[in-house]
């Protein structure tokens, strides 16, 4: 009897999965046809959104973006409420299904990093079509016409790749399904973030207001780049992040380097010694205790990494590096470990601005990436202890009168740091989503335990009771955060098909 019951249950699961896959396949074809016929309008909508300046620190501009998006999603049957908790706007959108319909919560952000306009090949808020990434061999601008919207064309603008595309792609997917008369019975909820590039500093306050309205069966975080092999991937984790500023000191006024060199302590050299003390010659972190807190990689995570295509040689050629950190480990393994990156240094002018002086101080900014098991507070303790072991006095202020400036280290932790997040590989929704997305091509969807970037997912983990999976859509070479940020139009078109398949597949497997 038990064996028969088990067989019936297995048979039911297989039938449900098969129905889900057929439904997803049909939705994918519907969206593909719609996109082909309407790509000019879709990309025109995207251009309109990208034309709105969206630097995360400018709340006035973010309000304009929120108003545009709200009007845009309302045309697709969503309610749209703008929510604030003392900072930039968030948008809560709901497209309600029936009372017993499955539900899905989708996150994306619509703010962007600052721009240095003169470094861009085309204006950052004038979306421009390019034949390839600006600066690539033979890349050039092309006119915005229907004939120039092929899959390999790049649309260059701030937030083209990070992260306005999901809004446009999801709405186009809904348009496709509605027009074909096959919109599934599913409740779609949106939380769109207007300050992610600042670390989402008021997200906790926003969630206090609306967390009860966000209940769903699964949350999809639509951010980040696709795998470097260009294969689809479901990403199950992100590293945490924090920023630390360091200042070292020398003489209390600038000194002539000829008269005082070899005598006066140089803050540049003090700083360099401190920075290099954190890693060994292979790039391994040697800050005491830092690696002890790291959660071990599970067998399922190791197996998922082993199943991924190796991209290290490709990256070496693409980026022009042969000697790399990591002692031969593949990049996916290294992303499961913490990192300390010196993201900026200042200790005086260089080249034409160089002067023959010893400066009174030198500065460095560290980007620290955390993994599961670590907390920002604990990492601060470990860094402080490490620098004390190097003979430094740690403080949050400049040297006090009478202190030895040469052993004084000003260490400031910027607000907004947060811990890492990981969904276990064996969570049922992971296989369910993989089954749905596998219908989109001949290659299986990759399951990636962790990507290298950071997202404020931990706040959703703390406030919402649902599995969370990251669903990237942008091309890996999108220049996010940098000049000439772009999206390959194929990635936009593929995202439309992806969202249509997921909506139909989730609704079919009930």
């Amino acid at each position: 009897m038990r064996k028969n019951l088990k067989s019936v249950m297995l048979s039911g699961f297989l039938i449900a999965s098969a129905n889900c896959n057929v439904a997803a396949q049909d939705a994918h074809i519907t969206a593909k046809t719609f996109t082909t016929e309407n790509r000019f309008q879709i990309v025109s909508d995207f251009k309109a959104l990208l034309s709105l300046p969206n630097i995360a620190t400018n709340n006035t501009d973010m309000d304009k973006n929120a108003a545009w998006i709200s009007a845009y999603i309302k045309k697709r049957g969503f309610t749209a409420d703008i929510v604030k908790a003392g900072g930039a706007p968030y948008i809560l959108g709901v497209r309600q299904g029936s009372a017993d319909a499955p539900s899905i919560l989708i996150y994306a952000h619509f703010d962007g990093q600052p721009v240095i306009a003169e470094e861009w090949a085309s204006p950052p808020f004038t979306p421009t079509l390019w034949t390839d990434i600006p600066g690539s061999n033979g890349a050039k601008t092309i006119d915005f016409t229907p004939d120039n919207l092929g899959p390999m064309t790049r649309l260059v603008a701030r937030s083209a790749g990070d992260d306005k595309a999901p809004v446009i792609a999801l709405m186009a997917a809904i348009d496709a399904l509605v027009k074909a008369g096959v919109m599934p019975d599913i409740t779609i909820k949106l939380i769109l973030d207007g300050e992610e590039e600042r670390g989402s500093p008021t997200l906790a306050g926003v969630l206090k207001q609306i967390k009860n309205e966000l209940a769903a069966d699964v949350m999809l975080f639509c951010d980040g780049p696709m795998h470097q092999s260009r294969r689809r991937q479901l990403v199950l984790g992100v590293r945490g992040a924090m920023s630390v500023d360091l200042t070292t000191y020398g003489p209390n006024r600038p000194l002539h380097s000829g008269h005082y060199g070899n005598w006066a302590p140089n803050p540049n050299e003090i700083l360099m010694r401190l920075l290099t003390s954190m890693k060994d010659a292979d790039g391994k972190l040697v800050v005491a205790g830092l690696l002890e807190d790291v959660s071990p990689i599970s067998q399922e995570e190791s197996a998922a990494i082993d199943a991924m295509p190796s991209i290290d040689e490709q990256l070496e050629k693409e980026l022009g590096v042969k000697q790399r950190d990591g002692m031969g480990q593949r990049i996916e393994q290294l992303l499961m470990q913490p990192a300390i990156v010196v993201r900026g240094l200042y200790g005086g002018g260089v080249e034409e601005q160089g002067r023959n002086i010893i400066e009174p101080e030198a500065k460095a900014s560290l980007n620290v990436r955390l993994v599961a098991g670590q907390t920002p507070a604990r990492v601060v303790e470990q860094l402080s202890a490490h620098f004390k072991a190097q003979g430094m006095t740690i403080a949050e202020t400049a040297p006090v009168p009478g202190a030895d400036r040469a052993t004084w280290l000003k260490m400031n932790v910027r607000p907004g740091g947060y811990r890492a997040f990981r969904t276990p590989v064996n969570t049922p929704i992971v296989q369910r989503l993989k089954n749905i997305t596998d219908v989109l091509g001949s290659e299986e969807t990759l399951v990636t335990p962790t990507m290298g970037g950071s997202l404020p997912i931990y706040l959703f983990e703390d406030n919402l009771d649902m599995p969370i999976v990251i669903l990237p859509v942008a091309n890996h070479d999108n220049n996010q955060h940098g000049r000439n940020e772009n999206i390959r139009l194929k990635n936009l078109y593929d995202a439309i098909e992806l969202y249509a398949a997921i909506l139909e597949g989730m609704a079919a497997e009930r």
Side-chain angles (χ1 to χ4, degrees), residues 112-180:
Q113 286 277 326
V115 298
I116 303 175
E118 57 269 23
E119 293 184 354
W120 285 61
S122 52
F125 296 110
T126 302
T128 306
L129 295 180
W130 283 76
T131 56
D132 204 343
I133 301 175
S136 300
N137 186 30
K140 61 181 180 180
T141 61
I142 52 178
D143 293 335
F144 184 68
T145 66
D147 291 339
N148 285 338
L149 300 180
M152 302 310 291
T153 297
R154 307 272 178 152
L155 183 60
V156 175
R158 174 55 89 223
S159 296
D162 183 23
D163 180 42
K164 287 182 172 180
V167 173
I168 301 298
L170 177 62
M171 296 306 118
I174 292 171
D175 289 345
L177 296 171
V178 169
K179 183 178 180 180

Side-chain angles (χ1 to χ4, degrees), residues 208-449:
K208 284 183 180 179
Q209 298 178 48
I210 65 171
K211 67 179 182 180
N212 292 335
E213 301 171 59
L214 299 177
D217 297 318
V218 63
M219 182 178 191
L220 296 182
F221 242 76
C222 296
D223 195 3
M226 293 179 67
H227 193 257
Q228 289 89 340
S229 66
R230 294 188 172 178
R231 284 173 62 178
R232 293 178 312 281
Q233 62 176 346
L234 300 173
V235 181
L236 306 186
V238 290
R239 294 199 280 194
M242 58 185 294
S243 297
V244 180
D245 295 328
L246 304 176
T247 306
T248 53
Y249 298 89
N252 59 15
R253 60 181 174 85
L255 296 178
H256 188 288
S257 61
H259 296 318
Y260 293 95
N262 292 349
W263 184 90
N266 188 331
N268 288 341
E269 296 169 9
I270 296 169
L271 182 59
M272 287 188 291
R273 285 194 292 270
L274 292 177
L275 296 178
T276 57
S277 73
M278 294 187 291
K279 298 181 182 181
D280 64 16
D282 294 314
K284 181 181 178 181
L285 292 172
V286 294
V287 176
L290 194 68
L291 299 179
E292 294 175 2
D293 295 334
V294 173
S295 298
I297 300 174
S298 70
Q299 291 183 346
E300 293 85 358
E301 288 169 335
S302 293
I305 290 173
D306 290 342
M308 299 176 70
S310 177
I311 57 169
D312 292 288
E313 289 187 9
Q314 170 195 329
L315 289 177
E316 288 178 7
K317 294 177 181 178
E318 181 179 322
L319 302 176
V321 294
K322 294 183 179 179
Q323 186 70 34
R324 54 184 173 88
D325 291 347
M327 298 173 290
Q329 295 183 77
R330 56 185 295 171
I331 187 171
E332 294 86 0
Q333 294 170 317
L334 295 170
L335 296 183
M336 304 284 282
Q337 301 173 24
I340 299 177
V341 178
V342 180
R343 66 181 184 184
L345 295 166
Y346 181 77
V350 297
E351 297 180 343
E352 291 83 1
Q353 307 300 320
R355 295 173 294 165
N356 296 330
I357 59 172
I358 297 172
E359 294 278 10
E361 61 184 40
K363 297 176 181 289
S365 182
L366 306 182
N367 173 228
V368 185
R369 299 286 175 168
L370 289 66
V371 296
Q374 296 181 296
T375 64
R378 176 70 173 143
V379 170
V380 170
E381 293 176 1
Q382 292 160 339
L383 288 174
S384 296
H386 175 80
F387 293 135
K388 285 180 182 178
Q390 308 301 310
M392 305 302 292
T393 298
I394 313 299
E396 295 181 355
T397 62
V400 298
D404 179 9
R405 292 172 60 89
T407 60
W408 193 276
L409 178 65
K410 180 181 175 183
M411 180 173 163
N412 295 116
V413 181
R414 291 184 176 271
Y418 49 83
R419 67 178 191 269
F421 165 84
R422 275 208 320 254
T423 289
V425 173
N426 56 5
T427 304
I429 191 64
V430 176
Q431 186 60 49
R432 184 174 174 185
L433 288 169
K434 184 178 182 301
N435 290 342
I436 293 170
T437 57
D438 276 350
V439 307
L440 297 172
S442 59
E443 294 182 300
E444 288 189 25
T445 301
L446 300 175
V447 176
T448 304

Side-chain angles (χ1 to χ4, degrees), residues 67-112:
W68 191 99
I69 293 170
S70 296
Y72 192 66
I73 67 175
K74 284 180 179 178
K75 295 177 182 177
R76 278 81 184 173
F78 284 85
T79 60
D81 295 314
I82 295 177
V83 186
K84 293 185 179 182
Y90 288 71
I91 301 171
L92 169 63
V94 180
R95 191 181 193 278
Q96 191 68 48
S98 67
D100 63 343
S103 55
I104 186 169
L105 174 63
I106 294 177
Y107 169 98
H109 69 88
F110 56 96
D111 62 318

